[in-house]
Amino acid sequence: MKKSIFSGLFLAWAVAQAAAAPETYEIDPIHSFMLFKDRFLWLGSIDGCFCGGISGIVSFDPAAPEKSTVEFEAKTDTLDTGSAQRNNDIKSPDFLNVKQFPLITFKSKSVQKVNDQQYNVTGDLTFHGVTKPLTIHANLISQGKGPDRGLRSGADIHLTIKRSEFGVNYGSPALADKVDLTIGVRK
């Protein structure tokens, strides 16, 4: 009798722990992206993306968001602006130096819930060999079952960085120091 009561209590505890466990997602590189926009003189902006080179892990606990974690990386050689010459210029040692710095990474240190759809994620951004603390604003955009019946979710992240803080100064002042980034993370 004692054994069955203990087994029942253990089973109830295990089910409760599983229900309370965070959901861990591997970022889908096919559907995830990082867009950038940098002002250029009076002509407008230089726009592009790091497409197909985003990967990482998100562990999200809706019941306790402060226990959630985010880690992602973007391969710098996946940069595409729609112009082969401009891509080569930006990938060169003058700008990204993709051979020496093949990744842009972010690793969270804390997650704070703003509301049911918005979260502030503070962590370290490493770009061009320089690591800086940064808070990003993540907006959950959807969650549901995909064609494979597995849980799918997505978030958009918006931030602005100063490239000079990461040692990328070439082209100033014609090319603006502030770069706007939008990161679409999909699972």
Side-chain angles (χ1 to χ4, degrees), residues 38-44 46 163 170-177:
D38 196 352
R39 292 274 170 217
F40 182 66
L41 294 174
W42 60 91
L43 302 174
I46 295 175
R163 59 190 184 93
Y170 188 82
S172 293
L175 192 59
D177 191 24

Side-chain angles (χ1 to χ4, degrees), residues 2-184:
K2 285 184 180 179
K3 191 174 187 180
S4 65
I5 290 173
F6 178 76
S7 296
L9 288 172
F10 179 77
L11 181 61
W13 175 82
V15 168
Q17 291 301 311
E23 299 169 10
T24 300
Y25 306 104
E26 189 171 325
I27 295 172
D28 178 357
I30 302 297
H31 296 101
S32 300
F33 55 86
M34 183 186 308
L35 304 175
F36 66 88
K37 179 183 288 280
D38 196 352
R39 292 274 170 217
F40 182 66
L41 294 174
W42 60 91
L43 302 174
S45 62
I46 295 175
D47 305 310
C49 73
F50 297 92
C51 300
I54 306 291
S55 61
I57 300 286
V58 176
S59 179
F60 180 66
D61 189 341
E66 66 280 0
K67 295 180 181 176
S68 301
T69 60
V70 177
E71 291 184 32
F72 69 83
E73 63 183 35
K75 294 179 182 173
T76 56
D77 68 353
T78 64
L79 175 128
D80 185 9
T81 64
S83 165
Q85 178 60 48
R86 186 171 40 230
N87 293 348
N88 290 336
D89 289 346
I90 296 173
K91 291 178 182 182
S92 78
D94 289 335
F95 285 101
L96 293 182
N97 197 355
V98 301
K99 289 183 180 170
Q100 185 174 351
F101 306 110
L103 297 173
I104 299 169
T105 64
F106 180 83
K107 185 173 182 176
S108 69
K109 290 186 172 187
S110 69
V111 176
Q112 178 188 16
K113 181 178 180 177
V114 176
N115 60 45
D116 286 342
Q117 296 301 114
Q118 297 178 329
Y119 296 83
N120 290 333
V121 183
T122 301
D124 289 329
L125 177 71
T126 300
F127 169 56
H128 207 255
V130 177
T131 301
K132 296 266 186 192
L134 181 72
T135 297
I136 60 177
H137 309 290
N139 300 307
L140 296 180
I141 55 172
S142 65
Q143 193 170 42
K145 291 192 177 188
D148 62 355
R149 309 303 295 158
L151 184 63
R152 308 294 287 172
S153 62
D156 284 339
I157 299 165
H158 303 281
L159 64 140
T160 300
I161 63 168
K162 285 186 169 184
R163 59 190 184 93
S164 62
E165 291 180 352
F166 294 91
V168 182
N169 298 306
Y170 188 82
S172 293
L175 192 59
D177 191 24
K178 291 183 179 178
V179 179
D180 296 321
L181 297 170
T182 299
I183 304 165

